[in-house]
Structure formats: structure tokens, C-alpha cells
Amino acid sequence: MQTTFSREQLAQPLIAESDRILRKCVHCGFCTATCPTFVLLGDELDSPRGRIYLIKDMLENDRPATEKVVKHIDRCLTCLACMTTCPSGVDYMHLVDGARAHIEETYRRPWADRMLRDTLAFVLPDRRRFRASLAGSWFARLALPLIRRIPGLEKIAAMLALTPSRLPPRSEAIAPARFPVTGRKGRVVLMTGCAQAVLAPGINEAAVRLLNRAGIEVVMPEGEGCCGALVHHLGKADDARAQARRNVDAWMREIEGEGLDAILVSASGCGTTVKDYGHLLAGDPAYAEKAARVAGLARDVSEYVETLDLGPPVRETGQAVAYHAACSMQHGQQITRQPKELLATAGFDVREVPEGHLCCGSAGVYNILQPEIAGRLRDRKLANIARTEPQMIATGNIGCMTQLAAKAEVPVVHTVELLDWAYGGPQPAALEGREK
């Protein structure tokens, strides 16, 4: 794609990077076939190619974002299926990240939209605030049928519908924590994160047990927090970098102390962001090298577990499991094999989901900000899952779990919970009370 940025424009890091990305696009349109919003809506501007044209026009002409541009960029899930499909290697992820930052700086959203986005950015990355807000939402859920009938409150209704009816108890598997082993074979950080630690702490508890049984010491360092993905996808780039620096500092203390073999992440959406810290902080002289080092150690928990000797399963399994490949796993990190092979080795009957490349509609807070599209994608995903006739659904991302569980007819569990169960851990909470 030909670009016409001026020398003055190219002196800006954002424009220089966007120019390099845009020049790789050859207009082939392969991306449209795997873009969930284009598949649903059929609008070229709701495809990666269409969005690329909008971004190019906005940046080349040095214009503030318009309502039209914002509409179509906001509809992007950042599922990155287009990057898996693109034969030219267009780095759409960083292009749309830059566009969102430009929108945040130049476009004034309606008051209600600003308040909702700012509230999400304030509450979700902080575990204490998030837990307190969920506790308070119990009362609001009582009014959900009424809220759903009030025009203009669709996003509030979507947000309330995603909140759990009850919160799990607080967990010990939250930073700061250390889980030592006798005869240590390795030492890793397991990221606590934010939303997952509140909604489903059993996931990291299962990961700790699985790793400890394999001789791996697990640490959750003091000072770590949200990976930055939530605010980053809202266009709040400075906030995302601040959260990334906090984690880099916490993990570097462990790297330079007793050392680390890996930094494990059990939520694939977070893992995609942590693996990108080298890019996110590349322009910060004080953090660029450290961030690249941290990103180089980042692994999805399934990537690392695959390298361990777990021994034979100790529990009879064989259940039919539909494996839902989270977009951040299969497209963001290009991890497609390990989770399925681990489940199959543990004895589960792993079933491929038709249209597995398409997003379930979760995408961070997308299911709150774009509830209509997200709901259609969820229903399409669940219909495809049902065709495999599973007894349960396994996935590696808390966002997908929350999105699917809202309407799924079978339990939704994390891959690591099933592995822990097969190799000697307790039954996952989602399976309690169900026959084998």
C-alpha cells in the first residue's frame, strides 16, 4: 500500500510505525474471510482491510478521529484472526493499537460512553475495586429485567448480565505468595492478574498444584498487578505502559534474585500483552531492555506444562471436551497444539469446534461495549460447540469462560483445571454436582 506521510509526520514514532505496517498491505482481502465482524455484518469498513483504509486516511491527513472512524474501530474485536490469515505479514495489532490511542487523544465521546469506559478502566484492573463492585452489583442484578427494557442502557445491562451470582472465596494463590517444593526442578512466576483472580481463583490454584507436583516452585511476586491489556485496548496507552512497568519491576526482582525459568500466564489475553512488553516499552530507555527480557520469558501455562514430566494420569477421564481456542491463544500467541495435546494425553476426548477461528465475542470488555455483536458471536460459537456434543468446554482464557458460561448448556472450565484434576487435583468447581 502506498503512503504519503510527510517527513515531519514520519518523525513521530506512531506515524513511522504505522507507515511501515501500512506499506505491507497489498489489498488482497484474505483477512475479510476470517474477520468476525465482516462475517456477521458484511460491511467492508468492518473488515481489517476497511479499517486499514480508515486509519490510513485519518493519520495521513493528520485529522482528529471522526464518528465514522470511531464506530468501525470500536467494532474491531482485536481477535487478530486477520494476522493469522494475512499472507503479507501486516502487523494489524499494533496498527489498531495506535489508532485507538489517536482516537483517545483526538475524539470526544458522548458523556455516557466516556463515563462507562473510564469506570471500566478504573475498576477492572484493580482486584480490590473489582471485587467490591461485584459485591455491590448483586443488588443491581435484581433490577436487570427492568434495565434491559430501558433504551440507552444496553451496555449497563450487558455488564450486569456478566456478573456472577456469587463470588468465590478469597484465594491464597494471589500475590504476594510463594509455593516451594522439595527437590526443586524449576522456578517460575505465575501471574496473578486482576479479573481472573476475583472471578475464578481456582484456575491459578490448579496451576500451582499441577506445577508443584512436577517439582516446580511457584512465586507470585509482591507488586505485580494487571497486565495492562484492558486499558490498552481502550486506547489508554500511558496507563497500559504504567501497568507494564509495575510488572516488569516486580518480575525483574525475581529474575535478578533467585532466578526464573519462565513467567507463566494462565489467561491468554494477558499472555498476549505480556509477550508484547518489549514493543510496548520499546520507547522507554529505562525499561526497554528489561521489558524485552521479561517478554522473552513469558509463556502460556500450557506451553510450559508441555515441557514437564507429569507422569501418568491418576484419574479415569475420557469425557468429551470441546476445546475452544481463545483468539489471544491461537492468533495472538499462535498456540494451537499444546492445550489439545495435553488434554488428550490426560485421557480426555478432545473435540474440534467448527469455525474455531472465529471469536466468541468476549474480547476484553468488548462484550460490554458492543453487546449486540458480542451476543451474536457468542450464540454462533455455542451453536458450533453444541455440534460436537461435548460434556464440557475447555479454554485458556477467563474472558472466554465468562462469555460462554453465560449461555452454555455444559460446564466451561479452564484447561489447567482439567489437567490438575486428571493428575490428582480436586474436581473443578464448575463440574461439582454433575455425574461423570
Side-chain angles (χ1 to χ4, degrees):
M1 178 179 288
Q2 184 178 1
T3 60
T4 58
F5 291 108
S6 67
R7 288 186 177 181
E8 291 77 12
Q9 287 177 306
L10 291 172
Q12 304 170 43
L14 172 61
I15 299 300
E17 180 181 43
S18 298
D19 180 64
R20 289 191 295 271
I21 297 170
L22 289 167
R23 285 179 175 271
K24 284 194 172 184
C25 180
V26 296
H27 323 270
C28 68
F30 283 14
C31 56
T32 61
T34 57
C35 173
T37 50
F38 183 76
V39 169
L40 280 188
L41 305 174
D43 187 338
E44 173 75 11
L45 294 180
D46 285 316
S47 74
R49 183 171 61 181
R51 293 183 180 109
I52 285 172
Y53 278 116
L54 290 173
I55 294 168
K56 176 179 181 289
D57 179 67
M58 176 177 67
L59 296 181
E60 270 188 342
N61 292 288
D62 198 19
R63 283 202 294 256
T66 63
E67 184 178 352
K68 177 182 178 181
V69 170
V70 172
K71 171 185 174 181
H72 295 290
I73 299 300
D74 279 358
R75 283 181 176 175
C76 174
L77 293 131
T78 322
C79 70
L80 308 182
C82 54
M83 291 182 62
T84 297
T85 308
C86 180
S88 303
V90 175
D91 186 0
Y92 179 82
M93 178 175 80
H94 292 127
L95 182 67
V96 79
D97 283 346
R100 288 195 170 113
H102 184 78
I103 289 170
E104 183 71 8
E105 292 175 3
T106 65
Y107 182 75
R108 187 165 180 81
R109 295 176 181 274
W111 178 85
D113 196 17
R114 290 201 313 274
M115 287 299 296
L116 177 58
R117 294 168 74 92
D118 287 348
T119 298
L120 293 171
F122 179 74
V123 172
L124 292 182
D126 185 283
R127 291 190 296 270
R128 286 173 293 186
R129 292 175 195 152
F130 185 39
R131 189 176 186 88
S133 70
L134 289 177
S137 71
W138 184 87
F139 298 99
R141 279 177 63 91
L142 298 176
L144 185 56
L146 174 62
I147 293 172
R148 281 181 167 145
R149 293 198 294 268
I150 301 176
L153 295 185
E154 294 84 1
K155 295 177 182 180
I156 301 299
M159 180 171 61
L160 290 173
L162 289 168
T163 59
S165 57
R166 63 183 179 87
L167 283 175
R170 297 179 188 272
S171 171
E172 293 183 359
I174 290 180
R178 179 171 178 262
F179 301 90
V181 292
T182 303
R184 190 173 82 183
K185 299 177 182 178
R187 186 173 190 267
V188 300
V189 153
L190 179 61
M191 183 179 182
T192 302
C194 50
Q196 178 178 285
V198 176
L199 292 171
I203 295 171
N204 272 356
E205 292 171 354
V208 168
R209 289 190 297 265
L210 187 66
L211 292 164
N212 277 177
R213 284 197 298 271
I216 307 301
E217 177 177 295
V218 179
V219 291
M220 296 175 165
E222 185 173 5
E224 70 164 33
C226 178
C227 67
L230 288 169
V231 291
H232 194 45
H233 295 319
L234 289 171
K236 300 179 184 296
D238 289 341
D239 291 344
R241 282 189 282 267
Q243 291 174 6
R245 291 187 191 99
R246 174 182 173 181
N247 288 332
V248 169
D249 286 339
W251 296 335
M252 284 301 299
R253 287 193 291 270
E254 297 296 333
I255 293 171
E256 294 172 347
E258 293 188 49
L260 291 174
D261 298 308
I263 296 168
L264 305 186
V265 189
S266 56
S268 61
C270 304
T272 301
T273 297
V274 174
K275 287 183 176 182
D276 197 47
Y277 275 5
H279 179 275
L280 185 62
L281 296 176
D284 186 336
Y287 278 86
E289 184 177 343
K290 294 185 289 187
R293 190 174 177 186
V294 161
L297 284 173
R299 301 284 187 277
D300 182 77
V301 67
S302 66
E303 287 182 286
Y304 187 76
V305 168
E306 189 202 29
T307 69
L308 304 177
D309 180 10
L310 300 177
V314 300
R315 182 167 283 107
E316 181 182 355
T317 51
Q319 293 88 345
V321 177
Y323 175 71
H324 164 64
C327 296
S328 46
M329 185 83 81
Q330 63 173 323
H331 304 308
Q333 300 183 54
Q334 295 294 306
I335 299 171
T336 57
R337 172 184 56 81
Q338 295 91 327
K340 291 183 288 187
E341 289 186 358
L342 285 166
L343 289 169
T345 300
F348 294 101
D349 175 12
V350 181
R351 303 189 177 182
E352 296 277 356
V353 176
E355 291 189 335
H357 63 282
L358 287 182
C359 184
C360 69
S362 172
V365 293
Y366 188 94
N367 49 5
I368 296 173
L369 299 177
Q370 300 286 336
E372 193 272 334
I373 296 174
R376 289 173 64 185
L377 287 171
R378 179 201 59 216
D379 294 346
R380 184 173 181 143
K381 177 66 68 176
L382 287 173
N384 278 316
I385 288 173
R387 290 168 61 188
T388 71
E389 299 182 348
Q391 292 170 272
M392 63 191 76
I393 302 166
T395 188
N397 188 50
I398 183 62
C400 302
M401 293 175 66
T402 304
Q403 172 79 343
L404 296 175
K407 290 290 183 71
E409 295 182 356
V410 296
V412 183
V413 293
H414 195 286
T415 304
V416 80
E417 292 182 292
L418 289 181
L419 295 175
D420 174 53
W421 184 38
Y423 289 98
Q427 186 181 53
L431 303 183
E432 291 179 359
R434 291 178 177 263
E435 295 181 2
K436 178 182 174 184

